[in-house]
Structures are given as structure tokens and as C-alpha cells.
Amino acid sequence: MKILLLFFIIAKVCFAQEVIDNEDKTNILNSSLTLIDKSQNLAQDSWRGLNYSVDSFFSDKRYKAEENESKVMASWTGNKTESKNFQTVWDLAIKIHLPQITKRLSITFEKERDEIVDATNSYTQRALNSNSSANDNPKGSNTNSYAAAATLLLSDSPYYKSDLRTGLKLLLPLDPFLKLSIYNEKKFKDFNIGAEQKFILYRQDGASEFTSLRWGYRLNSTSHLSQNNVLAWKDTTDNFTVRNDLSIGFELKENKGLTYSLGANALLSPSYHYTNYDTSISYRQLLFSKWFWGTLSIGAEFPKENHFKQANFIQLGLEIK
């Protein structure tokens, strides 16, 4: 009987110790997450505060510090497509906002993206835009470089807006560029429509341009239908590319969303013909606090060069902003 009692006491003590250990681990985890959250908020507030202080020092006018839109963003994307190697993309973007000094000017430091690729590809493929390798693109080193640029707002009328962006791709030799955008968007109760014309000029890659027309319709309080059409041209290929896509998004809960999309690409030369079809499902959720987001996408592409054979892919994205 004494042996059973002793065994019971030992078991009780061990169980209590295990509970204490689990509580300690939970407390350590919560403390670590709280520390990370505070560190991230401190970094963002410090960067925004620094830009606000500089702006206020050189300007007589004052405004609320939280109205300053300076920010630092970082993201990671991993993608696996059938018969292709696993791809990863790291990205960093820094925005300097000095509304009182510059009035119409914003300054950015970010990974340079091929805007024609962005305009003529699906959301999931745009995430991999800045990671083109030399095997995929003879000038691939250019698409994996950073750029420092300044954007000047030229016009802000009720009929159209326009801005001019100029800067340098930070590679040797330096590659200056100039981009002119003319755009506008009209919003109604449940419907919105927008158009954009952009002209792009690089010293090394020459000229390109694209025209886009998009519209969206809110079906109800939690779902939205949108459609996008793009016509693009590049000097390097001297060909026109067409992109059409249709998507429907659902707001599942606050900070959670699901999007279904369907798209197609075509060339105008030598005659109008489709070169690729794609479809995907993307789920996006706020993972932690107010600044750590995650996206999971699955889908398939049907490229013409592979006789429109289905190529499945899965993609994971993490973003700090």
C-alpha cells in the first residue's frame, strides 16, 4: 500500500512538473512573439518618425506623424512548378515620404521589376518576376537588381492623373530609366472602372509600353468580381502581347480572403493566337499582429510550347509590411 501511495505521489509530482514546463514554454513563446511585435513596431515607427522629423525641420507646416507614409517592406516567395526547380524570391522595398518638402515627390528603393511582365502575367507569376535567371532571360541579371527612383506627380485633375518616374538600376554599368504614366479610375456605389497608359524607356533595354483597362463589381458585402485587359509592346521583341484575366474574391473573415482567377495570354503576330492559359486559387491571411501576412496559392498553367499540357504549381508567400 505504501508503495502504491509513493508511486501515486511521484506520478502527481511529475505531472505537475510537466504542466509547469508547458506553461513555461508557452510563456517563453508569448514573450518572444511580443518582443518581435514590439521590435517591428519600433522599427516602423522609428523610420516613419525619422522621415517626419526631416520633413518638419525643413518645412513650416505641421501634420500628424501617423500621416507620414514612409515604410519598409520585406517579402519572401517560394514556388514549385511541375518539371521545374523550386524557386525563391526575397524582396525589400523602402519608401521615403516627405509630403511637406517634396509636395508631389516620393522616393523609393526597391527591387526593379519588369513592368511588362507584371502587366501580362497572373498574380502568382508576378510574384516571381524579380527572380528571372540567366537561363530564363538572357538579360536576367537586370531583372534581379535594385533601383533607386523618384516619382513626381505631374497632374491630379478630375479627368486624369499622370506621374513621371526616373531613376537608376543599381548594376554596372548603371542603367537609367524614365517612366511616364497616365491613368484614372472612377468609383461608383458597387462598380469601378480604371485605365492606364504607361511609356517606359531604359538605356540598355530600350522602349516598351502597355495599355490596360480594368473594371470591378461588388457582388455583395463579402465578394467582388474583377476583370483586367492589357495590351503591351516591347522593343526587344517587337511584338504585342495581350493579357485577359477574370477573378472573383471572397472576404471570409476580417483579414482573411480567398481569390479564384482565370487568365489567358496571346500574341498579335504573325496572327492572333493564344500562348498560355492559367488558373489559380489563392488564400491570404494575417498571420501575426498587424504586419505579418501569408499567402498560399495552388493552380495550373497550360503553355502552348508544351502543347497546352497542364503544369501544376504551388506557391507560398510571406510578407512583412
Side-chain angles (χ1 to χ4, degrees):
M1 188 66 181
K2 291 181 180 180
I3 295 176
L4 292 175
L5 181 60
L6 180 62
F7 177 78
F8 176 77
I9 293 173
I10 293 173
K12 193 74 172 177
V13 170
C14 291
F15 177 75
Q17 184 63 43
E18 183 177 354
V19 171
I20 293 173
D21 291 342
N22 289 335
E23 289 179 351
D24 290 341
K25 292 178 181 178
T26 302
N27 291 334
I28 291 173
L29 178 60
N30 290 335
S31 299
S32 300
L33 292 176
T34 301
L35 180 61
I36 293 173
D37 190 27
K38 290 182 177 179
S39 300
Q40 199 277 341
N41 290 332
L42 177 62
Q44 287 283 18
D45 292 342
S46 298
W47 177 248
R48 189 179 296 114
L50 173 63
N51 286 273
Y52 172 76
S53 298
V54 173
D55 196 24
S56 300
F57 180 80
F58 290 100
S59 173
D60 295 332
K61 295 183 179 181
R62 295 292 182 268
Y63 58 97
K64 294 182 180 179
E66 56 269 22
E67 293 178 6
N68 190 285
E69 298 177 358
S70 301
K71 55 187 175 182
V72 178
M73 298 176 291
S75 65
W76 174 90
T77 302
N79 186 90
K80 180 65 177 76
T81 302
E82 281 184 318
S83 72
K84 293 185 179 180
N85 295 330
F86 183 75
Q87 294 177 276
T88 59
V89 176
W90 291 93
D91 206 350
L92 175 69
I94 299 174
K95 179 181 180 181
I96 301 173
H97 184 225
L98 306 174
Q100 296 303 324
I101 296 177
T102 58
K103 303 297 183 184
R104 294 166 170 260
L105 187 69
S106 65
I107 302 169
T108 57
F109 173 81
E110 59 188 356
K111 185 169 287 187
E112 181 65 9
R113 305 178 64 83
D114 188 329
E115 294 185 64
I116 302 300
V117 173
D118 272 354
T120 57
N121 273 276
S122 64
Y123 167 80
T124 52
Q125 290 306 307
R126 287 198 298 270
L128 301 173
N129 179 4
S130 61
N131 199 44
S132 299
S133 66
N135 293 330
D136 298 328
N137 178 8
K139 299 183 180 181
S141 58
N142 290 3
T143 63
N144 200 26
S145 61
Y146 280 84
T151 303
L152 176 65
L153 180 63
L154 300 177
S155 174
D156 191 11
S157 74
Y159 305 104
Y160 73 93
K161 299 176 177 62
S162 62
D163 62 59
L164 184 67
R165 185 169 184 255
T166 182
L168 292 169
K169 276 202 274 189
L170 304 179
L171 41 77
L172 294 176
L174 294 176
D175 189 8
F177 60 82
L178 193 66
K179 302 178 182 181
L180 174 64
S181 300
I182 304 170
Y183 54 94
N184 199 9
E185 184 171 11
K186 293 294 184 181
K187 295 183 180 180
F188 305 94
K189 182 179 179 181
D190 294 318
F191 180 77
N192 65 281
I193 184 169
E196 180 180 8
Q197 175 66 56
K198 176 167 280 193
F199 301 96
I200 304 168
L201 179 63
Y202 281 92
R203 185 179 66 83
Q204 294 184 21
D205 293 338
S208 58
E209 62 88 19
F210 72 83
T211 306
S212 69
L213 176 65
R214 58 192 179 277
W215 59 266
Y217 181 74
R218 179 164 290 280
L219 301 174
N220 53 49
S221 60
T222 60
S223 59
H224 184 268
L225 181 69
S226 61
Q227 203 269 331
N228 187 44
N229 307 280
V230 176
L231 176 64
W233 173 84
K234 293 188 75 170
D235 185 29
T236 52
T237 60
D238 194 24
N239 204 345
F240 284 93
T241 303
V242 176
R243 170 71 184 178
N244 306 108
D245 57 54
L246 178 69
S247 63
I248 180 169
F250 299 92
E251 184 180 343
L252 304 179
K253 288 184 179 179
E254 186 179 4
N255 298 320
K256 292 182 181 180
L258 189 66
T259 302
Y260 296 87
S261 65
L262 179 68
N265 286 70
L267 292 176
L268 296 187
S269 179
S271 61
Y272 191 91
H273 64 282
Y274 284 97
T275 58
N276 187 63
Y277 300 95
D278 59 81
T279 181
S280 66
I281 303 173
S282 298
Y283 174 75
R284 181 172 172 83
Q285 178 180 334
L286 181 63
L287 299 177
F288 178 68
S289 189
K290 298 179 180 180
W291 48 268
F292 189 36
W293 292 83
T295 304
L296 177 64
S297 302
I298 57 173
E301 291 187 327
F302 305 84
K304 180 183 178 182
E305 62 264 24
N306 200 23
H307 306 290
F308 296 107
K309 182 180 179 182
Q310 180 175 335
N312 299 320
F313 68 84
I314 182 170
Q315 186 178 109
L316 174 65
L318 301 173
E319 186 177 10
I320 296 175
K321 64 178 185 176

